[in-house]
Amino acid sequence: MGRKRLSVIFLVLISLLLVAACERGDAPIDNSSAALIEPSKKVELAAQKKTATEPSFNNYVELGDLAALLERGVLRLLAPKGPLENTLPREGLPAGEWRKLAEEFAHSRGLKPQWVYVDNFADLIPALIDGRGDVIATNFSRTEERKALVAFTRPLKYVDELLITQRQAGQKAQPLQVALRRGSAFAETLRQRADAKNYQVTYLDGPLGSSDLLAAVAAGEYPATIIDSNLADVLLGDFPQLAISRELDSRRAIAWAVRREATALRRELNEFFTAELVLASQNREQPLRDWPEIQESGTLRVVTRNHPASYFIWRGELMGFDYDLLKEFAREHKLRLSMVVPDKDQDLSEALNDGLGDMIAASLTITEARRQQGLAFSRPYITVKEQIVAAKPSASANELLPAEILLSGQTVAVNPTTSYYESLLKLIQRQREQNIVPLQIHRLKGSTSESLIDAVARGLFPYTVVDSHLAAIESTYRDDFTLVGELSGERDIAWAVRTGQPLLLEQLNSFLNKHNRDLFFNVTYNKYFKEHKRILRHQGQRLRGTDELSPFDPIVKKYTEATDRDWRMVVAQMYQESQFNPRARSFAGAQGLMQVLPRTAKQLGVNDLYTPENGIRAGVSYLGWLDKRFPQDIPLEQKIYFTLAAYNAGHGHVRDARTLAQQLELDPNQWFGHVEQAMLLLSRPEYYRQSRFGYVRGREPVKYVREIRDRYLGYIYINRNL
């Protein structure tokens, strides 16, 4: 078929597409020069038809790091031009996933996400280096050539590069013509191959998608192309005439990129990615369970809030009244305890009904409205009053007026998802019945009692309402507020489950009845609500943010800067190893903050482990060495857990556990619930005698990994409640 005839056919096809587009209401493209388009450019025109029309944005040059971006309030996200944003997303393709992740990161740092599109992959790095964007946020391969120009984040995933040809293709010409987008990392792969002379790259310009390249190969315009395995899994089903000709033996990391000088931005991205991966595996929605399913799983998942009465971190230790009670409940039933803190704007009952946990333990007041939401309550374990808080000094401080009079015409700030809101609505009704000017409620969704007390103390609002046990805790370490009254009646605090969990509710009530005001309960209660010195120590030094987790944060950040490791995970591990004591020494001879053996440190080129910098450098280096011992096909968040287990028990024992897990038909690439179960079995003769590295006290690495993971999640949850 001649080129002229091809052009005519192509024009007819384009005309039909335009008519269809107009009938659908899509904007037509300008086809005034379509007759001049050669077949080799068809794919470009098809891609241009789908290019998104972005709202106008007056771009600027910015070469600064995170501080400069925060000052501007905008994060510019670079990506190649692609399909229209209003087309239906294709399940499994990463474009929508990356877009959502990038925008979530921007919002989490108080920045407005602004997408900046370039013509093709070749323009991404120049745009970044020139200051026309801040982050390359797309399916971007981390290669040596690119690493010389930009700084990459930790990998988001690993992919294989696949050569795609027609399934029934005959003898391939040498060199094989491979069509690639300009700037593609695949060209670097081909150049570095020993048989590079067998390939000839044809570069295509314009906003092309992988499906466009596959369509061109399927139509016979090009003999071959290359795509990543994560895209091939989704797209090749649409092209039965195509096949994977070969894997190019080049496993690549998909990552994002920033300017080399943007070290703070890169660190924040790495923190965000690690947190998202760990949270995704921890907070995955599960089927709604009652007691038998919870027992079978071995884990009780508790929805809570990060606040002084329920769950918080003190010097790296997880604490809280609800937390301590449920730790004992879990111990008595041989369960593991997993605390889940939803986003501050998500209602706890909603999180429970969505399957994020099995129960709620968050100093929750029993209310009829919550029962209407589908909650069933345990027997109460605390009774409290709802107290009115004002700034100190206050004109009303010495005159305790009835709430109806005190709050007449006043503004009271509360979270509308709390019981305080319901109580204030009832108070307004009583004020109206008594012809008293009603109060005004200022709704602050997502706010905590602590943040509301802060707002009142700073004069932002005249009043708020707080439960008496929370007010008592706050008053032990601060004196900038005062209690000026109470709402009528007492309130019962209890745990909550879904109405469809009668067996779990029965177990919780049995536990509370058993420990009703016994020694265990009283000691725990006094620890958090009665012992002034202990409360002052715990609450005064309770973590309220992640700006300072330990006295050694700057050193940890220094040695994790060039790695893909989240410094907060290293701090969580450091507490597990030494409780932040640089002079710590184990019975086995491990030394310093990260408890590294001197012989291991010597192999890493480090001496004097009692010096904090040396101990941390040795620990981070050893983590990096262990990380490389595991296959790249292990999911990234799972590799974190395998590395921690190897740090504690040795790489050989973890390898034995993975082998045993596979033999037991468990997943050797999943730690929790799989390899950790095999690790426990390696303390039994019938299993460790068959393993290469023999006996291991399996409970130690299992506990070690879980406690570090839970502490790290505690650090993340603090920020989720700010």
Side-chain angles (χ1 to χ4, degrees):
M1 185 179 292
R3 176 173 294 184
K4 182 176 180 181
R5 186 179 177 189
L6 269 174
S7 296
V8 171
I9 293 173
F10 187 64
L11 272 172
V12 172
L13 289 173
I14 289 296
S15 299
L16 291 173
L17 286 171
L18 285 171
V19 170
C22 291
E23 289 176 351
R24 293 194 314 266
D26 296 340
I29 61 171
D30 179 6
N31 67 340
S32 58
S33 57
L36 303 178
I37 298 175
E38 297 181 3
S40 62
K41 296 295 183 180
K42 292 177 188 177
V43 67
E44 291 182 38
L45 183 59
Q48 288 168 7
K49 172 183 175 288
K50 297 185 292 185
T51 301
T53 301
E54 289 294 309
S56 60
F57 168 65
N58 295 323
N59 205 350
Y60 47 83
V61 173
E62 174 59 73
L63 297 170
D65 199 354
L66 183 61
L69 307 186
L70 290 170
E71 187 174 345
R72 287 185 179 272
V74 175
L75 182 70
R76 296 167 302 165
L77 304 161
L78 286 163
K81 290 180 180 177
L84 280 170
E85 298 298 331
N86 61 1
T87 57
L88 291 175
R90 181 66 179 274
E91 184 177 354
L93 291 181
E97 176 187 345
W98 297 156
R99 185 180 185 97
K100 180 181 178 183
L101 195 64
E103 293 178 355
E104 285 180 356
F105 169 75
H107 291 310
S108 73
R109 268 55 181 180
L111 296 167
K112 175 187 175 183
Q114 174 61 56
W115 288 92
V116 176
Y117 293 97
V118 296
D119 287 337
N120 53 47
F121 272 77
D123 294 333
L124 287 170
I125 290 180
L128 181 68
I129 293 175
D130 292 346
R132 290 178 279 126
D134 305 310
V135 182
I136 296 175
T138 188
N139 207 64
F140 203 56
S141 297
R142 190 165 73 174
T143 72
E144 292 303 316
E145 291 182 8
R146 288 173 173 174
K147 283 169 67 175
L149 300 172
V150 296
F152 280 92
T153 65
R154 64 162 296 164
L156 294 166
K157 63 177 59 180
Y158 285 90
V159 298
D160 294 311
E161 297 177 335
L162 308 176
L163 183 70
I164 308 297
T165 61
Q166 288 194 354
R167 187 177 296 276
Q168 303 299 329
Q171 184 67 31
K172 298 182 180 66
Q174 294 293 336
L176 179 66
Q177 184 186 17
V178 183
L180 299 175
R181 289 172 287 191
R182 191 172 300 280
S184 168
F186 304 139
E188 182 178 336
T189 298
L190 295 180
R191 285 196 301 272
Q192 293 174 349
R193 290 182 60 84
D195 59 348
K197 63 182 180 181
N198 295 333
Y199 300 93
Q200 178 182 340
V201 176
T202 297
Y203 291 104
L204 303 180
D205 294 306
L208 309 175
S210 295
S211 57
D212 299 317
L213 293 172
L214 293 175
V217 175
E221 292 188 38
Y222 303 102
T225 190
I226 301 173
I227 63 173
D228 288 326
S229 54
N230 60 331
L231 299 175
D233 293 341
V234 180
L235 297 176
L236 277 183
D238 293 340
F239 301 95
Q241 64 272 53
L242 299 182
I244 300 171
S245 176
R246 66 179 302 176
E247 294 188 11
L248 295 177
D249 302 321
S250 177
R251 191 161 178 78
R252 298 280 196 193
I254 300 297
W256 291 355
V258 299
R259 286 179 290 278
R260 294 176 66 85
E261 302 80 14
T263 55
L265 178 58
R266 178 180 178 275
R267 184 177 64 245
E268 292 279 323
L269 282 164
N270 280 339
E271 290 178 16
F272 176 77
F273 293 152
T274 304
E276 287 297 305
L277 286 169
V278 173
L279 282 170
S281 60
Q282 161 74 4
N283 295 353
R284 189 177 296 115
E285 293 180 8
Q286 295 185 1
L288 306 184
R289 313 183 303 179
D290 201 358
W291 184 241
E293 294 81 15
I294 293 169
Q295 284 187 301
E296 184 179 355
S297 74
T299 300
L300 175 68
R301 305 174 76 242
V302 180
V303 178
T304 189
R305 291 291 187 208
N306 188 298
H307 69 58
S310 293
Y311 177 66
F312 61 90
I313 294 183
W314 173 73
R315 292 186 178 178
E317 183 179 350
L318 298 177
M319 302 185 70
F321 183 59
D322 284 308
Y323 179 73
D324 282 2
L325 291 182
L326 285 167
K327 265 203 314 184
E328 178 62 19
F329 175 83
R331 188 194 66 78
E332 290 181 8
H333 293 282
K334 295 181 172 56
L335 295 172
R336 293 181 292 266
L337 185 63
S338 178
M339 308 300 284
V340 179
V341 179
D343 287 326
K344 63 181 182 180
D345 291 334
Q346 185 175 18
D347 186 70
L348 293 176
S349 60
E350 176 187 327
L352 182 67
N353 289 320
D354 285 346
L356 290 182
D358 303 308
M359 61 174 290
I360 299 173
S363 283
L364 205 63
T365 303
I366 299 175
T367 68
E368 186 58 35
R370 285 172 172 157
R371 286 195 173 99
Q372 294 298 321
Q373 290 178 301
L375 296 185
F377 289 94
S378 71
R379 58 156 292 171
Y381 58 94
I382 303 179
T383 300
V384 299
K385 300 278 287 185
E386 292 180 336
Q387 298 182 320
I388 303 169
V389 174
K392 190 176 183 179
S394 169
S396 304
N398 296 321
E399 187 180 359
L400 296 180
L401 299 173
E404 289 86 349
I405 303 300
L406 174 66
L407 299 179
S408 174
Q410 299 294 322
T411 298
V412 184
V414 295
N415 184 334
T417 65
T418 63
S419 61
Y420 314 138
Y421 180 70
E422 296 178 43
S423 298
L424 289 175
L425 290 178
K426 293 177 182 177
L427 178 58
I428 290 173
Q429 182 62 34
R430 292 199 301 273
Q431 286 176 324
R432 287 173 175 160
E433 290 172 354
Q434 299 173 32
N435 294 318
I436 298 172
V437 178
L439 64 92
Q440 300 291 320
I441 301 176
H442 190 97
R443 300 166 182 82
L444 288 173
K445 189 174 182 182
S447 60
T448 63
S449 294
E450 187 176 17
S451 66
L452 287 169
I453 291 175
D454 286 338
V456 168
R458 297 200 313 270
L460 300 179
F461 304 102
Y463 298 103
T464 189
V465 178
V466 177
D467 280 334
S468 55
H469 68 311
L470 298 178
I473 291 174
E474 292 292 314
S475 65
T476 59
Y477 67 93
R478 59 190 298 176
D479 59 0
D480 56 354
F481 73 93
T482 187
L483 303 176
V484 294
E486 294 178 342
L487 301 184
S488 62
E490 292 185 331
R491 305 290 188 269
D492 289 329
I493 302 293
W495 293 332
V497 299
R498 293 178 291 271
T499 52
Q501 296 173 288
L503 299 179
L504 173 58
L505 185 60
E506 180 182 340
Q507 293 294 330
L508 294 174
N509 281 330
S510 176
F511 173 82
L512 292 171
N513 286 329
K514 172 185 174 182
H515 293 289
N516 182 28
R517 302 301 172 182
D518 69 355
L519 179 62
F520 161 71
F521 185 94
N522 288 334
V523 168
T524 307
Y525 182 87
N526 292 341
K527 172 182 174 182
Y528 291 101
F529 304 121
K530 292 291 187 181
E531 297 176 8
H532 182 85
K533 289 184 178 179
R534 180 177 285 187
I535 296 170
L536 181 62
R537 183 171 71 254
H538 288 164
Q539 300 304 330
Q541 299 176 23
R542 175 167 62 92
L543 281 180
R544 291 171 173 78
T546 55
D547 292 337
E548 185 178 349
L549 302 180
S550 80
F552 310 103
D553 293 354
I555 303 174
V556 177
K557 291 177 182 179
K558 173 183 175 181
Y559 286 105
T560 56
E561 192 74 65
T563 72
D564 295 328
R565 205 163 299 283
D566 188 335
W567 71 277
R568 297 170 299 180
M569 184 72 78
V570 175
V571 172
Q573 183 183 6
M574 186 196 309
Y575 182 84
Q576 189 75 18
E577 291 286 354
S578 65
Q579 287 73 55
F580 303 149
N581 176 12
R583 303 299 300 176
R585 179 184 175 89
S586 75
F587 71 91
Q591 300 174 0
L593 287 167
M594 295 295 288
Q595 290 291 279
V596 179
L597 288 168
R599 65 175 180 271
T600 302
K602 187 175 181 180
Q603 293 172 346
L604 298 168
V606 181
N607 296 307
D608 186 16
L609 291 168
Y610 291 123
T611 299
E613 181 150 354
N614 291 349
I616 292 170
R617 178 159 66 96
V620 172
S621 297
Y622 187 42
L623 284 168
W625 184 87
L626 289 169
D627 185 89
K628 294 175 182 177
R629 308 277 80 79
F630 293 103
Q632 288 184 339
D633 59 352
I634 295 177
L636 295 171
E637 78 281 2
Q638 297 302 320
K639 190 183 284 191
I640 293 172
Y641 306 139
F642 286 120
T643 301
L644 290 173
Y647 195 103
N648 177 261
H651 173 262
H653 291 304
V654 178
R655 192 166 68 181
D656 282 348
R658 293 186 68 226
T659 301
L660 178 58
Q662 194 158 25
Q663 294 169 357
L664 297 173
E665 298 185 351
L666 298 170
D667 188 345
N669 291 338
Q670 295 284 326
W671 175 258
F672 292 111
H674 293 268
V675 178
E676 70 168 352
Q677 297 302 319
M679 180 66 79
L680 291 171
L681 295 175
L682 287 175
S683 61
R684 292 163 53 175
E686 63 267 35
Y687 292 103
Y688 72 70
R689 285 173 181 165
Q690 307 299 319
S691 66
R692 179 178 176 183
F693 291 90
Y695 172 82
V696 62
R697 291 189 296 271
R699 290 192 177 277
E700 290 187 12
V702 167
K703 180 182 178 183
Y704 182 85
V705 174
R706 280 194 174 270
E707 291 189 356
I708 292 172
R709 190 276 308 267
D710 290 348
R711 186 173 301 109
Y712 174 75
L713 285 170
Y715 293 154
I716 296 172
Y717 289 148
I718 291 171
N719 283 342
R720 297 186 88 183
N721 278 187
L722 293 180

